[in-house]
Amino acid sequence: MSLNSNEQSKMLALKQLNTINNVEGFDPEAFAVEFTDLSTGEKMKRLPVVIQMAWFRLVYPQGKIAVQVSSGKDCFVASARIYANYQDPVECYLAEATASRGVSTTKPSVSPREWAQTAAIGIALRNAGFGLQFAVAGEEVENIPSELPEEIQLTANAMPTSTAEAVSEPAPENSREEEYETVPAELSYDDKLKLAMQTPCPIKKYSGKTLGDLITIDPKALNWVATKFTGAPEITEAAKLICEDAVQKTSA
Protein backbone atom coordinates (compact mmCIF):
# COMPACT_ATOMS: atom_id res chain seq x y z
CA MET A 1 0.00 0.00 0.00
CA SER A 2 1.56 3.29 -1.15
CA LEU A 3 1.45 6.42 0.98
CA ASN A 4 0.00 9.67 -0.30
CA SER A 5 2.09 12.84 -0.30
CA ASN A 6 0.61 14.04 3.00
CA GLU A 7 1.42 10.78 4.79
CA GLN A 8 4.91 10.78 3.30
CA SER A 9 5.45 14.33 4.57
CA LYS A 10 4.33 13.32 8.06
CA MET A 11 6.66 10.31 8.08
CA LEU A 12 9.56 12.49 6.96
CA ALA A 13 8.77 15.10 9.61
CA LEU A 14 8.57 12.40 12.31
CA LYS A 15 11.91 11.01 11.17
CA GLN A 16 13.45 14.46 11.57
CA LEU A 17 11.89 14.88 15.04
CA ASN A 18 13.50 11.60 16.08
CA THR A 19 16.93 13.14 15.47
CA ILE A 20 16.38 15.84 18.13
CA ASN A 21 18.52 15.13 21.21
CA ASN A 22 19.60 11.85 19.62
CA VAL A 23 21.65 9.57 21.88
CA GLU A 24 23.37 6.58 20.30
CA GLY A 25 21.98 3.35 21.72
CA PHE A 26 18.99 5.00 23.41
CA ASP A 27 15.56 4.79 21.77
CA PRO A 28 12.80 6.58 23.74
CA GLU A 29 10.22 4.87 21.54
CA ALA A 30 10.96 1.63 23.41
CA PHE A 31 9.59 3.21 26.61
CA ALA A 32 6.53 4.89 25.10
CA VAL A 33 3.18 3.82 26.56
CA GLU A 34 0.14 3.40 24.34
CA PHE A 35 -3.16 4.93 25.44
CA THR A 36 -6.59 5.63 23.94
CA ASP A 37 -7.88 9.18 23.63
CA LEU A 38 -11.30 8.98 25.34
CA SER A 39 -12.72 11.82 23.23
CA THR A 40 -11.71 10.45 19.82
CA GLY A 41 -11.04 6.76 20.48
CA GLU A 42 -7.69 7.17 18.70
CA LYS A 43 -4.74 5.12 19.95
CA MET A 44 -1.74 7.30 20.73
CA LYS A 45 1.61 7.08 22.49
CA ARG A 46 2.88 8.99 25.48
CA LEU A 47 6.32 9.18 27.03
CA PRO A 48 6.52 8.89 30.85
CA VAL A 49 8.14 11.84 32.60
CA VAL A 50 10.77 9.64 34.22
CA ILE A 51 12.01 8.56 30.76
CA GLN A 52 12.18 12.18 29.66
CA MET A 53 14.33 12.90 32.70
CA ALA A 54 16.64 9.96 32.04
CA TRP A 55 16.94 11.03 28.40
CA PHE A 56 17.76 14.59 29.45
CA ARG A 57 20.53 13.34 31.75
CA LEU A 58 22.03 11.30 28.91
CA VAL A 59 22.20 14.38 26.70
CA TYR A 60 23.18 16.87 29.41
CA PRO A 61 25.09 15.06 32.20
CA GLN A 62 25.73 18.40 33.92
CA GLY A 63 22.24 19.70 33.27
CA LYS A 64 19.76 21.00 35.79
CA ILE A 65 16.03 21.28 36.28
CA ALA A 66 14.94 24.22 38.43
CA VAL A 67 11.45 24.18 39.93
CA GLN A 68 9.41 26.79 41.75
CA VAL A 69 6.06 26.01 43.40
CA SER A 70 3.39 28.31 44.78
CA SER A 71 -0.17 27.81 45.99
CA GLY A 72 -2.98 29.18 43.84
CA LYS A 73 -6.72 29.13 44.25
CA ASP A 74 -7.66 25.49 44.93
CA CYS A 75 -4.42 24.26 43.37
CA PHE A 76 -0.64 24.36 43.27
CA VAL A 77 1.20 26.14 40.46
CA ALA A 78 4.64 24.87 39.47
CA SER A 79 7.13 26.40 37.05
CA ALA A 80 10.12 24.50 35.70
CA ARG A 81 13.18 25.56 33.74
CA ILE A 82 15.60 23.30 31.91
CA TYR A 83 19.32 24.17 31.89
CA ALA A 84 22.08 22.57 29.82
CA ASN A 85 24.53 23.11 32.68
CA TYR A 86 24.03 23.66 36.40
CA GLN A 87 26.37 26.68 36.20
CA ASP A 88 24.34 28.48 33.53
CA PRO A 89 22.94 31.90 34.56
CA VAL A 90 19.34 31.83 35.69
CA GLU A 91 18.11 33.52 32.50
CA CYS A 92 19.98 31.13 30.16
CA TYR A 93 17.58 28.19 30.09
CA LEU A 94 16.70 25.83 27.24
CA ALA A 95 12.96 25.77 27.91
CA GLU A 96 10.39 26.47 30.60
CA ALA A 97 6.82 25.51 31.45
CA THR A 98 4.13 26.12 34.04
CA ALA A 99 1.49 23.66 35.23
CA SER A 100 -1.24 23.79 37.86
CA ARG A 101 -2.88 20.84 39.59
CA GLY A 102 -5.55 20.52 42.26
CA VAL A 103 -6.96 17.58 44.18
CA SER A 104 -8.21 14.95 41.71
CA THR A 105 -11.31 12.85 42.39
CA THR A 106 -9.84 10.09 40.22
CA LYS A 107 -6.45 10.23 41.99
CA PRO A 108 -7.25 11.11 45.61
CA SER A 109 -3.94 9.78 46.92
CA VAL A 110 -1.86 11.88 44.54
CA SER A 111 -0.30 15.00 46.04
CA PRO A 112 -1.40 17.97 43.89
CA ARG A 113 1.87 19.71 44.74
CA GLU A 114 4.02 16.87 43.42
CA TRP A 115 1.65 16.38 40.49
CA ALA A 116 2.08 20.03 39.46
CA GLN A 117 5.86 19.75 39.82
CA THR A 118 6.04 16.58 37.74
CA ALA A 119 3.77 18.01 35.05
CA ALA A 120 5.78 21.25 34.80
CA ILE A 121 9.06 19.33 34.58
CA GLY A 122 7.73 16.99 31.90
CA ILE A 123 6.23 19.74 29.77
CA ALA A 124 9.42 21.83 30.05
CA LEU A 125 11.45 18.81 28.95
CA ARG A 126 9.10 18.29 26.04
CA ASN A 127 9.55 21.95 25.08
CA ALA A 128 13.31 21.34 25.16
CA GLY A 129 12.88 18.54 22.61
CA PHE A 130 12.63 15.51 24.89
CA GLY A 131 9.42 13.93 23.63
CA LEU A 132 8.18 16.16 20.81
CA GLN A 133 7.56 13.14 18.60
CA PHE A 134 5.00 11.68 21.00
CA ALA A 135 1.34 12.66 21.24
CA VAL A 136 1.64 13.36 24.96
CA ALA A 137 4.75 13.85 27.06
CA GLY A 138 5.20 15.24 30.53
CA GLU A 139 1.65 15.72 31.77
CA GLU A 140 1.09 12.94 34.28
CA VAL A 141 2.56 11.55 37.49
CA GLU A 142 4.82 8.63 36.74
CA ASN A 143 6.71 6.17 38.94
CA ILE A 144 9.93 4.57 37.83
CA PRO A 145 8.94 1.13 36.45
CA SER A 146 10.80 -1.73 38.10
CA GLU A 147 11.42 -3.31 34.70
CA LEU A 148 13.55 -0.39 33.48
CA PRO A 149 17.21 -1.24 32.88
CA GLU A 150 19.29 -0.52 35.99
CA GLU A 151 21.32 2.21 34.29
CA ILE A 152 18.12 4.04 33.33
CA GLN A 153 16.72 3.74 36.85
CA LEU A 154 19.89 5.24 38.29
CA THR A 155 19.83 8.07 35.76
CA ALA A 156 16.20 8.83 36.50
CA ASN A 157 16.72 8.70 40.24
CA ALA A 158 19.46 11.29 39.89
CA MET A 159 16.82 13.81 38.79
CA PRO A 160 14.46 14.65 41.68
CA THR A 161 10.81 15.29 40.82
CA SER A 162 9.54 16.66 44.10
CA THR A 163 12.21 19.18 45.09
CA ALA A 164 13.49 22.39 43.57
CA GLU A 165 17.12 21.30 43.52
CA ALA A 166 17.55 19.08 40.49
CA VAL A 167 21.31 19.52 40.36
CA SER A 168 23.91 16.75 40.14
CA GLU A 169 26.61 18.97 41.64
CA PRO A 170 26.35 21.94 44.01
CA ALA A 171 26.13 25.31 42.28
CA PRO A 172 28.64 28.03 43.12
CA GLU A 173 27.81 30.09 46.19
CA ASN A 174 27.50 33.29 44.16
CA SER A 175 25.10 31.72 41.67
CA ARG A 176 21.88 33.61 40.92
CA GLU A 177 19.95 30.40 40.30
CA GLU A 178 18.62 30.07 43.81
CA GLU A 179 16.33 33.02 43.04
CA TYR A 180 14.27 30.62 40.95
CA GLU A 181 14.99 27.34 42.70
CA THR A 182 13.85 28.21 46.17
CA VAL A 183 10.56 26.55 47.04
CA PRO A 184 8.17 28.94 48.82
CA ALA A 185 7.47 28.50 52.50
CA GLU A 186 4.94 25.95 53.68
CA LEU A 187 1.27 26.65 53.04
CA SER A 188 -0.61 28.73 55.56
CA TYR A 189 -3.07 27.05 57.91
CA ASP A 190 -6.03 28.43 55.98
CA ASP A 191 -4.66 27.11 52.67
CA LYS A 192 -4.08 23.67 54.20
CA LEU A 193 -7.62 23.64 55.59
CA LYS A 194 -9.04 24.70 52.23
CA LEU A 195 -7.27 21.85 50.42
CA ALA A 196 -8.33 19.42 53.16
CA MET A 197 -11.97 20.45 52.75
CA GLN A 198 -11.73 19.73 49.01
CA THR A 199 -10.18 16.28 49.45
CA PRO A 200 -12.45 13.58 47.93
CA CYS A 201 -14.13 11.31 50.49
CA PRO A 202 -12.76 7.73 50.27
CA ILE A 203 -15.97 6.14 51.61
CA LYS A 204 -17.90 4.50 48.78
CA LYS A 205 -21.23 5.53 50.30
CA TYR A 206 -20.22 9.17 49.87
CA SER A 207 -18.58 8.87 46.46
CA GLY A 208 -18.45 12.27 44.81
CA LYS A 209 -18.47 14.10 48.14
CA THR A 210 -15.53 15.83 49.81
CA LEU A 211 -14.28 15.58 53.38
CA GLY A 212 -15.65 19.07 53.91
CA ASP A 213 -19.13 17.82 52.95
CA LEU A 214 -18.97 15.21 55.74
CA ILE A 215 -19.03 17.94 58.39
CA THR A 216 -22.75 18.39 57.80
CA ILE A 217 -23.63 15.06 56.14
CA ASP A 218 -22.00 12.59 58.53
CA PRO A 219 -19.50 13.86 61.15
CA LYS A 220 -19.00 10.31 62.47
CA ALA A 221 -17.81 9.23 59.02
CA LEU A 222 -15.34 12.11 58.99
CA ASN A 223 -14.01 11.00 62.38
CA TRP A 224 -13.67 7.44 61.05
CA VAL A 225 -11.55 8.67 58.13
CA ALA A 226 -9.40 10.66 60.56
CA THR A 227 -8.83 7.78 62.99
CA LYS A 228 -9.29 4.45 61.18
CA PHE A 229 -8.90 4.92 57.43
CA THR A 230 -5.55 3.55 56.21
CA GLY A 231 -5.89 3.81 52.44
CA ALA A 232 -3.95 7.05 51.94
CA PRO A 233 -2.01 9.09 54.54
CA GLU A 234 -2.85 12.36 52.77
CA ILE A 235 -6.59 11.76 53.16
CA THR A 236 -6.24 10.75 56.81
CA GLU A 237 -4.21 13.88 57.61
CA ALA A 238 -6.74 16.04 55.79
CA ALA A 239 -9.59 14.55 57.85
CA LYS A 240 -7.64 15.06 61.10
CA LEU A 241 -7.02 18.71 60.22
CA ILE A 242 -10.74 19.29 59.60
CA CYS A 243 -11.69 17.56 62.87
CA GLU A 244 -9.10 19.54 64.85
CA ASP A 245 -10.31 22.78 63.30
CA ALA A 246 -13.93 21.94 64.17
CA VAL A 247 -12.97 21.23 67.80
CA GLN A 248 -11.08 24.53 68.04
CA LYS A 249 -14.01 26.50 66.68
CA THR A 250 -16.45 24.74 69.01
CA SER A 251 -14.33 25.45 72.10
CA ALA A 252 -13.57 29.04 71.12
Side-chain angles (χ1 to χ4, degrees), residues 116-136:
Q117 288 179 310
T118 303
I121 290 171
I123 297 171
L125 283 169
R126 181 186 64 195
N127 293 343
F130 296 93
L132 285 173
Q133 66 270 51
F134 298 95
V136 180

Side-chain angles (χ1 to χ4, degrees), residues 110-187:
V110 173
S111 163
R113 183 189 183 96
E114 292 193 8
W115 191 7
Q117 288 179 310
T118 303
I121 290 171
I123 297 171
L125 283 169
R126 181 186 64 195
N127 293 343
F130 296 93
L132 285 173
Q133 66 270 51
F134 298 95
V136 180
E139 298 186 10
E140 293 292 334
V141 172
E142 296 295 338
N143 293 319
I144 300 175
S146 59
E147 65 271 14
L148 286 182
E150 183 178 358
E151 61 273 18
I152 298 299
Q153 290 192 42
L154 292 174
T155 303
N157 276 317
M159 300 291 295
T161 61
S162 60
T163 70
E165 299 172 7
V167 190
S168 60
E169 297 182 29
E173 291 183 2
N174 60 352
S175 172
R176 296 169 54 198
E177 293 151 359
E178 54 266 12
E179 295 176 10
Y180 195 80
E181 294 179 337
T182 301
V183 176
E186 191 176 357
L187 285 177

Side-chain angles (χ1 to χ4, degrees), residues 198-239:
Q198 295 169 350
T199 301
C201 178
I203 302 175
K204 188 175 182 180
K205 177 181 177 181
Y206 297 118
S207 177
K209 301 294 183 181
T210 66
L211 294 182
D213 293 330
L214 294 185
I215 295 176
T216 54
I217 296 175
D218 192 343
K220 290 183 178 179
L222 178 62
N223 184 65
W224 180 86
V225 175
T227 58
K228 297 182 179 179
F229 178 67
T230 58
E234 297 88 350
I235 296 179
T236 301
E237 290 303 316

